[in-house]
Amino acid sequence: KLNVFNSVQGEALTRVFNIQANASLEVAFADFSMGDKELKVDANLLSEGASIYWHLATISEKNDKKNFVINFNHLARNTFAKMENYGVAKDTSTLNFLGNAKIFKGSKGSSTNQLAKILVFDKGVHAKASPMLCIDENDVKAFHGASEGQINKDHIFYLMSRGVSETEAKKLITYGYLYPIIQTFTDEDIKNAIIDCITKRV
């Protein structure tokens, strides 16, 4: 299990995970850094029974440019991968969720699942959620979903009808959107630091 919390200046990072037989890796990446961010991850599922669960939450604002490229490579039978990327983009920032899930020939019985969602606050935002599937084998399961868009107006209207201001309604919805990442951390100080970041930046 790997938990990462980043609240300082953005940077460029590349990470490669090689996961062997029946090993499982769970990664929670809470990115509340400021400035530009480049993260590329390659998860290689090398042997039967290898699995990875990836969960990312991030905010981009002002002139931030953030790119996250998460790749899953299924190189053996009965491997499993699940990705959940959640982002909030504000002002004139750029936020991209990209990456491939590849199931190679010979990797029968494997399952891969990608989900990428970006909540857009302002018209000047550049957002792209585009996970891709590359399947070269039968008898597998592969799913992906992506969305980028503004906060649902019906949700805002509902909260405002209960006496919440529009600004506070947006904050509550966004908080609920990013909050699940906190549940993957066990250190109370880090949990409180993440809550503080979300509260201040939303």
Side-chain angles (χ1 to χ4, degrees):
K1 187 172 184 179
L2 175 63
N3 289 345
V4 180
F5 168 50
N6 184 14
S7 63
V8 295
Q9 185 67 29
E11 56 184 339
L13 293 172
T14 299
R15 293 288 182 266
V16 177
F17 301 110
N18 293 315
I19 307 169
Q20 301 289 348
N22 300 315
S24 178
L25 175 62
E26 181 179 346
V27 181
F29 199 99
D31 174 67
F32 297 100
S33 62
M34 293 170 283
D36 296 349
K37 179 82 175 186
E38 296 279 345
L39 176 65
K40 182 181 179 183
V41 172
D42 284 293
N44 299 314
L45 303 163
L46 299 176
S47 303
E48 187 168 1
S51 64
I52 182 170
Y53 172 61
W54 170 274
H55 188 176
L56 166 70
T58 188
I59 295 176
S60 66
E61 61 182 345
K62 298 180 181 177
N63 294 316
D64 293 350
K65 291 181 174 62
K66 295 189 174 185
N67 294 295
F68 297 90
V69 182
I70 315 301
N71 298 315
F72 297 148
N73 297 309
H74 296 261
L75 298 160
R77 298 170 61 94
N78 301 315
T79 55
F80 173 82
K82 184 175 182 180
M83 176 191 77
E84 293 181 343
N85 288 340
Y86 289 89
V88 173
K90 301 169 62 179
D91 305 318
T92 58
S93 65
T94 297
L95 179 58
N96 295 319
F97 290 153
L98 309 172
N100 295 320
K102 298 181 180 179
I103 299 181
F104 287 80
K105 192 72 176 176
S107 301
K108 288 183 180 293
S110 293
S111 176
T112 195
N113 192 335
Q114 296 173 295
L115 178 65
K117 291 187 174 183
I118 301 175
L119 197 59
V120 175
F121 261 60
D122 302 294
K123 292 182 179 180
V125 163
H126 299 277
K128 185 176 182 180
S130 183
M132 293 191 297
L133 298 173
C134 300
I135 312 300
D136 195 27
E137 184 56 272
N138 297 315
D139 189 26
V140 299
K141 295 179 181 179
F143 311 92
H144 69 168
S147 67
E148 64 255 358
Q150 296 183 337
I151 296 175
N152 190 307
K153 292 181 179 180
D154 290 339
H155 296 168
I156 295 175
F157 176 79
Y158 175 82
L159 290 171
M160 291 178 67
S161 71
R162 299 298 187 271
V164 179
S165 70
E166 183 176 356
T167 299
E168 285 302 313
K170 288 181 177 179
K171 285 185 177 181
L172 285 171
I173 292 168
T174 308
Y175 186 80
Y177 194 73
L178 297 174
Y179 184 83
I181 195 75
I182 297 169
Q183 299 172 342
T184 63
F185 288 78
T186 56
D187 186 286
E188 291 300 323
D189 290 337
I190 294 178
K191 283 185 175 183
N192 291 330
I194 295 173
I195 291 171
D196 188 56
C197 280
I198 295 174
T199 303
K200 287 180 177 178
R201 299 187 62 187
V202 172

